[in-house]
Amino acid sequence: MSDQLTIRRPDDWHLHLRDGAMLQGVLPETTRHFARAIIMPNLVPPVVTLADARAYHGRIMAALPPGAEFEPLMTLYLTENTDPGDVAAAHASGLVKAVKLYPAGATTNSASGVSNLDAVRPVLERMAEIGLPLCVHGEVTDPSVDIFDREAVFIDRVLDPLRRAVPGLRVVMEHITTADGVEYARSGGDDLGATITTHHLMINRNHMLVGGIRPHYYCLPVVKRARHQRALRAAATSGEARFFLGTDSAPHNDPAKESACGCAGVFSATNTMSCLAYVFEEEGALERLEAFASLNGPAFYGLPPNEARITMTRGQPVDYPAKIETGAGPVTVFDPGHPLLWAVSDAPV
Ligand code: NCD
Ligand code: ZN
């Protein structure tokens, strides 16, 4: 087995960068390895209009580490007041690559999300016409639905009817966490994609809950049982074009995570590539890491893959910090619970 792997530079198709001091602190963790990322719009207040996206894009560019080559791919946060004309202008500008649907109340900073899908139908129809993808946080918020079932119920109650109601709409099922999500993604044509996070490939709910509760493993959608983790691993390592990397790296400072009511979000930007190489090696699929991390995402979004390459080398356990210090406080890096052996040994910047 070779101990070196050279692949096209990866992209992250689901990333939270936040703003201000947190943005400044976490951005280098992504730009070190990744060329582009779909930037989630769930700021407070959210990134709703083209004007908001332009301003946020400017703040990200201003926060880039010197010499970094990184393109933030902006998204708009869909609300019941979103103007289809503004969405079309955002698409035409080239700056905005997707619109994000958060069911109201489903996750961190989703209070301005959508409660009534009929209210956003004109926006979705316009998006289908112009080919702008909808990124979907796929969980129902019905309090009577068990949190471990919210993804599967969302697919039946919301996602499938929505896709039938707006034919031609390009949809990304964001951060799928279940065998049900995998199965539904496979039922679609090339208008349906699905992102998978690094941590959902590495942990299941036992890792989070057995022997003590581990707040740094808590995210939404919450990690599920091992059978679902296995389905996600099979999907990610299959090479199928519909599955691609979206880390959902979502920084919260340690006090916000280590709390009686801790925030949802796993911060994995720092060691994601090492984690993925570990998983793909374990699954005997290292030769398909490039498809998952560097090829399938751009193909779905109609963008060329990156020309630059990164090289990963297998050797001594990779040295990475347990936490990073930011101006917004310390942020704990995802700990897979065992050493990682693949390091990014050469990246363009
Ligand atoms: C995300 C966040 O913190 O913004 N949290 C998470 O657990 N994934 C929101 C999200 O993507 O659901
Ligand atoms: Zn997210």
Side-chain angles (χ1 to χ4, degrees):
M1 185 181 57
S2 167
D3 59 2
Q4 280 223 330
L5 179 67
T6 296
I7 61 171
R8 284 181 190 260
R9 210 169 157 215
D11 303 304
D12 184 349
W13 300 93
H14 182 128
L15 177 67
H16 299 268
L17 287 176
R18 317 300 190 202
D19 215 342
M22 184 64 91
L23 165 64
Q24 195 77 46
V26 300
L27 187 55
E29 303 302 300
T30 285
T31 63
R32 197 172 296 133
H33 299 153
F34 292 90
R36 297 172 289 197
I38 284 275
I39 309 300
M40 286 295 126
N42 62 332
L43 305 182
V44 187
V47 178
V48 172
T49 64
L50 170 58
D52 296 340
R54 271 195 207 291
Y56 186 30
H57 180 265
R59 298 197 297 279
I60 296 169
M61 297 309 281
L64 282 178
E69 284 190 26
F70 179 73
E71 187 186 356
L73 309 173
M74 308 308 290
T75 61
L76 301 183
Y77 185 120
L78 184 62
T79 75
E80 291 179 16
N81 299 316
T82 294
D83 167 15
D86 187 60
V87 168
H91 173 61
S93 76
L95 195 82
V96 169
K97 300 296 188 208
V99 172
K100 176 77 190 227
L101 167 63
Y102 289 103
T107 187
T108 308
N109 303 338
S110 61
S112 319
V114 176
S115 309
N116 171 15
L117 274 164
D118 288 337
V120 296
R121 183 84 168 256
V123 180
L124 301 181
E125 283 169 354
R126 190 70 171 269
M127 288 168 61
E129 264 166 51
I130 61 182
L132 184 63
L134 180 71
C135 292
V136 178
H137 182 109
E139 289 189 287
V140 291
T141 55
D142 179 343
S144 72
V145 177
D146 187 276
I147 191 162
F148 289 98
D149 298 333
R150 287 181 176 195
E151 180 170 295
V153 173
F154 181 89
I155 291 168
D156 289 345
R157 276 196 204 164
V158 183
L159 183 59
D160 191 60
L162 181 149
R163 291 186 57 244
R164 287 176 198 278
V166 191
L169 180 64
R170 298 179 64 68
V171 170
V172 183
M173 299 171 68
E174 297 280 78
H175 42 50
I176 55 170
T177 61
T178 58
D180 313 75
V182 170
E183 190 188 337
Y184 187 77
R186 284 191 168 131
S187 76
D190 59 9
D191 57 346
L192 186 61
T195 57
I196 303 177
T197 79
T198 310
H199 49 286
H200 285 94
L201 295 173
M202 299 200 89
I203 59 171
N204 60 57
R205 66 193 198 180
N206 273 14
H207 296 94
M208 182 175 67
L209 295 171
V210 173
I213 187 162
R214 290 179 182 71
H216 295 288
Y217 286 169
Y218 174 61
C219 66
L220 288 170
V222 70
V223 284
K224 309 294 192 302
R225 55 172 74 238
R227 151 176 105 76
H228 295 295
Q229 182 193 8
R230 284 194 294 273
L232 296 173
R233 281 184 164 229
T237 59
S238 69
E240 286 169 64
R242 66 184 93 247
F243 299 114
F244 42 94
L245 173 64
T247 66
D248 196 15
S249 183
H252 295 274
N253 65 21
D254 284 351
K257 293 288 297 175
E258 298 166 5
S259 148
C261 184
C263 291
V266 169
F267 178 70
S268 64
T270 307
N271 58 0
T272 272
M273 290 312 298
S274 297
C275 288
L276 290 175
Y278 184 97
V279 168
F280 276 67
E281 177 173 54
E282 209 168 47
E283 298 289 328
L286 268 177
E287 73 283 3
R288 293 196 281 273
L289 176 59
E290 185 178 44
F292 181 66
S294 316
L295 299 177
N296 296 348
F300 183 89
Y301 278 90
L303 297 169
N306 298 308
E307 279 309 323
R309 266 58 176 182
I310 64 165
T311 297
M312 301 195 67
T313 305
R314 191 183 202 283
Q316 293 304 308
V318 182
D319 205 13
Y320 60 87
K323 53 185 73 187
I324 61 161
E325 296 299 331
T326 78
V331 176
T332 292
V333 174
F334 174 61
D335 173 8
H338 52 70
L340 298 170
L341 300 177
W342 287 90
V344 178
S345 50
D346 185 36
V349 281

